[in-house]
Amino acid sequence: MTRVALLAAASLLLTAQAPAPTPATTITDPGSVLANAPADDWRPVDIENIVVFETTRGRMVLELAPAFAPMHIKAIRQFVAEGRFDGGAITRVQDNYVVQWAARPRPADAPALPIPLPPLPAEYEMPAQGFVFTRLEFADPYAEAGFIDGWPAGRDPRTKTVWLAHCYGMVGVGREAPPDVGDGTELYAVIGHAPRHLDRNLAVVGRIIEGLDAHASLPRGTAALGVYAKEAERTPITRATLGTNLADPPRFEVMDTASASFARYKAARANRSGFFVRPAGGLDLCNVQVPVRRATAAQQPR
Amino acid sequence: MTRVALLAAASLLLTAQAPAPTPATTITDPGSVLANAPADDWRPVDIENIVVFETTRGRMVLELAPAFAPMHIKAIRQFVAEGRFDGGAITRVQDNYVVQWAARPRPADAPALPIPLPPLPAEYEMPAQGFVFTRLEFADPYAEAGFIDGWPAGRDPRTKTVWLAHCYGMVGVGREAPPDVGDGTELYAVIGHAPRHLDRNLAVVGRIIEGLDAHASLPRGTAALGVYAKEAERTPITRATLGTNLADPPRFEVMDTASASFARYKAARANRSGFFVRPAGGLDLCNVQVPVRRATAAQQPR
């Protein structure tokens, strides 16, 4: 007998299409909540915010969060549009930490960029004003934990700031020691337990919504910090493309984290039954991955 | 320029030997705390509690925690001694969740086991009495969070129980739906964000203290729950051996989680400087991996 009943984590991407809604009964499992969530409780992922990285391992789809690091994201879009990531590589995979990738180095004798980029500001947190923050009902060791527009986030009432949290799959911009803030040519995605101590210390620009699994399973680098010791160990990036430049861009939906469905989803995750003899009664910010799914044709904007 | 300064996570295993202690100054980084920890602040890993799983990807060293699931661990030791895991396989790898492996199925016509095992009790949590619990100073969404004898743990003052927490690398026993409690022939290790909702719902028996990285980077299974769809996708376990049956068993040390060094380590993790412009000021249970290192010859019991 193969014991596989150890329950599934909420996948970052729910590849199965939701079945037709059934009459609401006592919903006690997260899957039922997702299946019964009305269309209005999902928000489409804006094609403007999609970047597709194609590598020799498959492709990673990045959703950008321009409300949180607008200048970094402007720089990333420009680098992608200029083809700077084409011929780049995954340069680092550190176990229980990050996958990191880099644009192709710019030759010293390359012509000037068409739109020179100003030095980037330290977009590590943002003034809270104007952000709708749905607070998680449970204690958090770092800050007020919650969600903003489909993103895991932190809030500090003292500094009156909000920021994106370093949960599994979230993407940030690598940098050197301060005052360097990174330039957007090196990105990392979290592939381990949430390194929340990085929150407010790096510019978080979005998350991988498809294809992280094929890259989280890359061999770990053997040099310090998981860097690949040899060029040959790197995974090449064959091409990076803005969603707006794709002929047939992938369409996704993210659950609206201010919706009743997401409230039910959190409650279901915190109070699971069936397999569970002792429901947790609590939930930590990064143990509730915000549901993301492929949009069906019917759900696409007309 | 390659930006690799994004800081390192505390590795589960610190492969480098600690340098000679230097005079204590203002210790502000976790590495310095480790380098300066006196020998008394480490506890040796008992060879009795070691199981080595050799697979075609390398080997995984499991440290058992018999105080928490003694009957499950008795069963696991017996299965290993009988060679039941030799010829077993890694049957499941689910992204951001678990690696799971299984003993070789026992033929129906096999002779009776030399020591028949009674049905196992549900060793999901234990009476708190007698356990020394060093509480983590920061809020936790699930329970009282802390450490017991080198292990991440939870405590509930209401039920007066303690349990091992499902942090990265921790190992539990797979089971079917209740009242099944598993029999110890299927084990899983956490390879993603801590699925703490599993705490108190499964028997946690220890953690992988070496070799998890080579197995956390296995391809994810494509069937439901990350199960490998085909036999050929599985990673064979060539042999499993009890530490006491190894000619030259690996020697490890775990930081004493009740020690002053560990208190300093937690404080250093919560208040990092240098690269960090905004120290976290907090720490979550599974974001402070208990330091484990290879013991030098001098540190081995004489």
Side-chain angles (χ1 to χ4, degrees):
Chain A
M1 177 175 55
T2 304
R3 294 176 183 278
V4 296
L6 173 62
L7 282 236
S11 296
L12 185 58
L13 178 71
L14 308 163
T15 44
Q17 296 303 333
T22 52
T25 54
T26 312
I27 293 174
T28 52
D29 70 286
S32 298
V33 176
L34 297 181
N36 288 283
D40 282 355
D41 286 355
W42 298 85
R43 73 153 169 82
V45 172
D46 192 338
I47 297 300
E48 295 270 348
N49 292 334
I50 289 282
V51 179
V52 174
F53 292 91
E54 293 170 62
T55 79
T56 54
R57 291 278 284 209
R59 70 181 204 173
M60 290 195 291
V61 179
L62 166 63
E63 179 190 8
L64 296 166
F68 290 90
M71 296 305 291
H72 280 78
I73 285 174
K74 184 180 175 187
I76 291 167
R77 285 189 175 124
Q78 181 171 326
F79 292 141
V80 172
E82 287 170 357
R84 284 283 304 282
F85 279 98
D86 307 355
I90 295 174
T91 54
R92 172 191 186 193
V93 182
Q94 184 171 356
D95 196 53
N96 189 20
Y97 202 42
V98 294
V99 169
Q100 189 164 329
W101 63 100
R104 184 169 37 83
R106 193 172 158 75
D109 59 353
L113 292 175
I115 312 158
L117 289 163
L120 296 173
E123 297 172 318
Y124 305 155
E125 50 195 312
M126 304 292 283
Q129 196 171 10
F131 285 96
V132 177
F133 185 87
T134 305
R135 191 166 177 185
L136 186 66
E137 304 83 340
F138 307 106
D140 186 272
Y142 296 99
E144 288 182 3
F147 299 87
I148 296 174
D149 193 28
W151 301 95
R155 184 172 67 175
D156 185 338
R158 197 175 46 82
T159 57
K160 297 187 174 58
T161 54
V162 293
W163 58 91
L164 295 183
H166 277 83
C167 296
Y168 198 92
M170 296 294 285
V171 172
V173 176
R175 65 166 172 87
E176 302 285 349
D180 180 271
V181 298
D183 63 5
T185 60
E186 299 230 6
L187 305 176
Y188 62 88
V190 172
I191 59 161
H193 187 78
R196 297 270 308 278
H197 55 289
L198 300 179
D199 292 0
R200 316 171 83 176
N201 284 285
L202 289 136
V204 179
V205 295
R207 74 183 144 210
I208 302 297
I209 56 173
E210 189 173 86
L212 185 57
D213 53 350
H215 297 86
S217 56
L218 281 167
R220 279 49 178 144
T222 53
L225 306 183
V227 171
Y228 288 119
K230 297 172 192 163
E231 182 89 17
E233 295 171 331
R234 297 177 168 190
T235 297
I237 298 170
T238 48
R239 187 161 52 170
T241 315
L242 296 175
T244 46
N245 288 341
L246 287 167
D248 185 22
R251 301 277 180 175
F252 294 89
E253 292 182 315
V254 175
M255 185 167 269
D256 175 357
T257 46
S259 70
S261 291
F262 191 66
R264 279 195 290 272
Y265 185 70
K266 287 182 287 182
R269 293 273 307 164
N271 299 288
R272 294 175 75 167
S273 56
F275 179 85
F276 292 82
V277 298
R278 173 90 76 178
L283 191 57
D284 103 79
L285 178 64
C286 297
N287 194 17
V288 54
Q289 297 253 316
V290 178
V292 178
R293 66 182 186 185
R294 282 273 192 163
T296 62
Q299 291 156 351
Q300 290 180 20
R302 275 159 292 187
Chain B
M1 177 175 56
T2 305
R3 293 176 184 278
V4 297
L6 174 63
L7 281 238
S11 296
L12 186 59
L13 178 71
L14 308 162
T15 46
Q17 297 303 331
T22 53
T25 54
T26 311
I27 292 174
T28 51
D29 70 288
S32 298
V33 176
L34 297 179
N36 288 286
D40 282 356
D41 286 355
W42 298 85
R43 72 155 169 81
V45 171
D46 193 336
I47 297 300
E48 296 271 346
N49 292 336
I50 289 282
V51 179
V52 174
F53 292 91
E54 292 169 65
T55 79
T56 53
R57 289 279 283 209
R59 71 181 203 173
M60 289 195 293
V61 179
L62 167 63
E63 180 189 7
L64 296 166
F68 290 90
M71 298 304 291
H72 279 78
I73 286 174
K74 185 180 174 188
I76 291 166
R77 285 191 175 122
Q78 182 171 324
F79 292 142
V80 172
E82 288 171 357
R84 285 284 303 284
F85 279 97
D86 307 354
I90 295 173
T91 54
R92 172 190 186 193
V93 182
Q94 183 171 355
D95 196 54
N96 189 21
Y97 202 43
V98 294
V99 168
Q100 190 163 329
W101 61 102
R104 184 168 36 83
R106 194 172 156 74
D109 61 353
L113 292 175
I115 312 159
L117 290 163
L120 296 174
E123 298 172 318
Y124 305 155
E125 50 195 314
M126 304 292 285
Q129 196 169 11
F131 286 94
V132 177
F133 186 87
T134 306
R135 191 164 177 186
L136 186 65
E137 304 82 340
F138 308 106
D140 187 271
Y142 296 100
E144 287 183 4
F147 299 87
I148 296 173
D149 193 30
W151 301 95
R155 183 171 68 175
D156 185 339
R158 197 174 46 81
T159 57
K160 297 185 174 61
T161 54
V162 292
W163 59 89
L164 295 184
H166 277 83
C167 297
Y168 197 94
M170 295 295 285
V171 172
V173 175
R175 66 166 172 87
E176 302 284 350
D180 180 89
V181 298
D183 63 4
T185 60
E186 298 228 7
L187 305 176
Y188 62 88
V190 173
I191 59 160
H193 188 78
R196 296 269 309 277
H197 55 289
L198 299 179
D199 291 359
R200 316 172 82 177
N201 285 285
L202 290 136
V204 179
V205 295
R207 74 183 143 211
I208 301 297
I209 55 173
E210 189 173 85
L212 185 56
D213 53 350
H215 297 86
S217 55
L218 281 166
R220 280 51 178 142
T222 52
L225 307 182
V227 171
Y228 288 120
K230 296 173 191 162
E231 182 88 16
E233 294 171 331
R234 297 177 168 189
T235 296
I237 298 171
T238 48
R239 187 161 53 170
T241 315
L242 296 174
T244 47
N245 288 341
L246 287 168
D248 185 21
R251 302 277 181 175
F252 294 89
E253 293 182 314
V254 174
M255 186 168 270
D256 175 357
T257 46
S259 70
S261 291
F262 191 65
R264 279 195 289 271
Y265 185 69
K266 286 182 287 183
R269 293 273 307 166
N271 299 288
R272 294 174 76 167
S273 56
F275 180 85
F276 291 82
V277 296
R278 173 90 76 177
L283 191 57
D284 105 79
L285 179 64
C286 297
N287 195 16
V288 53
Q289 297 252 316
V290 178
V292 178
R293 66 181 186 186
R294 282 273 192 162
T296 62
Q299 291 154 350
Q300 289 179 19
R302 275 158 291 187

